[in-house]
Amino acid sequence: MDREEVADEIFRKVAEVTPHISSGLQNRREYVGEENPSDEEQLEADVWANEFFKQEITSIDGVGQFASEEEQEITECGEGLSVSIDPLDGSSNIPTNNLVGTIVGMYDDELPCSGRNLVSAFYVVYGPLTTIMRVEDGTVNEYVVEEKSGDEVDIVLASEDIEMPEASVYGFGGNKNWTEDFKDFEEEISRDYKLRYGGAFVGDINQTIHHGGLFAYPYRTDAPQGKYRLLFEANPVAFIIENAGGGSTDTEQSILDVEASRLHQRVPFFAGDGELVEKVEEELEAP
Ligand code: FBP
């Protein structure tokens, strides 16, 4: 298979198991007393979802590397695309029954590498519907996963060639430790846009892409590089936003141009409306 066919196979395999992941969350809401490579407490669901996706993805011909936010090291599994995954983004939202998701990046180079090597990317949102936002041939399409009898699913194209509309919402994470310049920036933005912040990256960026606006998890006084992992969260989502007509930045450059030196490195993350991203680069400077 060529790399586009491998990317299609990865998308299909993940989509087919989403009903199993979604239904499996209900009995795995406890913390397991372990931490992931980013020193974050792991829910049983984090560990379980990671193992499930790992088995599915590493068995695909044309996948050369499997790297997970939940695992310290890369799994070498042949030749081909390098797959990054955040198996359960926003897992701290599970105990409160809020949105969670899965973020997948497919790189045409060995990890760690720049986001410019992304061949495709998608994120799943487990909500009232299970939806998948995906880059295909430079356009962004949204699918709904519909369960059928047995383990069968229909993957239904819901919106094609999505372009972000005029900005109307914003959402900024990490507010307990914002710097003074970022507090001033947020105060200015809050005057013109509606606040939408749900505590799960996939749910919040999904609002940004549908309603138009700006989403950020910025640098913090206690975390100069912010919270999001470049390879597992920031690159795949920035790739999707930029292919939907938006922009992304770490305050200096597109997220996709940030040099990747460590597998679990973090990056300050801003993405959404192109003019608002330019405003970030003009007014803010990461430490
Ligand atoms: P993980 O749950 O995959 O570690 O993701 C981190 C995350 O939950 C994001 O989904 C979300 O945007 C952010 O952390 C929320 O952070 P905070 O609790 O500091 O607002």
Side-chain angles (χ1 to χ4, degrees):
M1 291 189 285
D2 67 23
R3 61 184 207 173
E4 281 70 25
E5 289 168 325
V6 175
D8 286 345
E9 181 66 3
I10 294 165
F11 167 73
R12 190 180 60 76
K13 278 247 181 164
V14 169
E16 286 178 350
V17 300
T18 54
H20 191 73
I21 297 294
S22 185
S23 63
L25 300 179
Q26 56 193 356
N27 303 315
R28 296 178 172 89
R29 298 166 66 180
E30 304 303 322
Y31 286 99
V32 294
E34 302 290 333
E35 291 187 337
N36 68 13
S38 300
D39 300 324
E40 293 164 338
E41 278 193 285
Q42 286 180 314
L43 279 169
E44 188 181 344
D46 286 314
V47 177
W48 170 76
N50 181 64
E51 278 309 313
F52 203 89
F53 285 122
K54 186 173 183 178
Q55 285 175 26
E56 292 293 323
I57 292 171
T58 54
S59 65
I60 298 172
D61 282 342
V63 172
Q65 292 186 321
F66 173 89
S68 168
E69 186 182 289
E70 300 302 329
E71 295 187 339
Q72 188 65 48
E73 305 299 334
I74 295 169
T75 298
E76 302 291 343
C77 45
E79 295 297 321
L81 295 180
S82 300
V83 179
S84 70
I85 189 167
D86 180 357
L88 220 43
D89 168 68
S91 52
S92 54
N93 270 351
I94 293 173
T96 56
N97 192 31
N98 287 90
L99 295 182
V100 294
T102 299
I103 305 172
V104 177
M106 290 152 273
Y107 298 80
D108 202 11
D109 195 355
E110 295 207 340
L111 298 177
C113 69
S114 152
R116 292 296 174 195
N117 294 290
L118 279 166
V119 171
S120 184
F122 60 84
Y123 63 77
V124 183
V125 181
Y126 305 99
L129 302 176
T130 295
T131 56
I132 307 179
M133 193 71 78
R134 179 193 186 197
V135 177
E136 294 176 82
D137 302 324
T139 61
V140 176
N141 300 322
E142 185 176 44
Y143 294 83
V144 175
V145 180
E146 295 182 353
E147 294 183 54
K148 295 168 64 180
S149 59
D151 285 344
E152 295 289 306
V153 300
D154 273 343
I155 306 169
V156 180
L157 180 61
S159 303
E160 194 168 13
D161 196 3
I162 293 174
E163 289 285 330
M164 291 180 64
E166 184 176 349
S168 65
V169 301
Y170 81 99
F172 299 156
N175 69 313
K176 296 294 289 301
N177 302 93
W178 283 345
T179 60
E180 289 309 312
D181 70 334
F182 190 77
K183 287 177 184 175
D184 294 342
F185 180 81
E186 190 273 344
E187 197 282 326
E188 182 186 356
I189 292 290
S190 67
R191 291 199 290 265
D192 296 330
Y193 304 98
K194 291 188 292 184
L195 173 61
R196 288 290 183 272
Y197 188 77
F201 188 20
V202 288
D204 291 325
I205 204 71
N206 210 40
Q207 295 228 49
T208 306
I209 208 167
H210 279 291
H211 295 309
L214 180 67
F215 182 77
Y217 201 105
Y219 46 88
R220 297 183 335 209
T221 53
D222 61 335
Q225 292 307 306
K227 182 171 189 177
Y228 290 167
R229 275 61 42 143
L230 174 63
L231 293 167
F232 301 107
E233 296 161 306
N235 269 341
V237 172
F239 186 66
I240 293 167
I241 293 288
E242 293 194 9
N243 279 282
S248 74
T249 186
D250 66 348
T251 71
E252 293 176 1
Q253 59 194 319
S254 164
I255 294 288
L256 301 178
D257 289 322
V258 173
E259 185 180 341
S261 54
R262 289 176 292 107
L263 189 63
H264 295 278
Q265 79 183 62
R266 299 177 191 262
V267 66
F269 181 89
F270 304 76
D273 178 84
E275 289 182 13
L276 290 176
V277 166
E278 283 175 18
K279 183 179 177 64
V280 167
E281 292 186 337
E282 287 160 7
E283 298 183 14
L284 297 175
E285 185 177 357

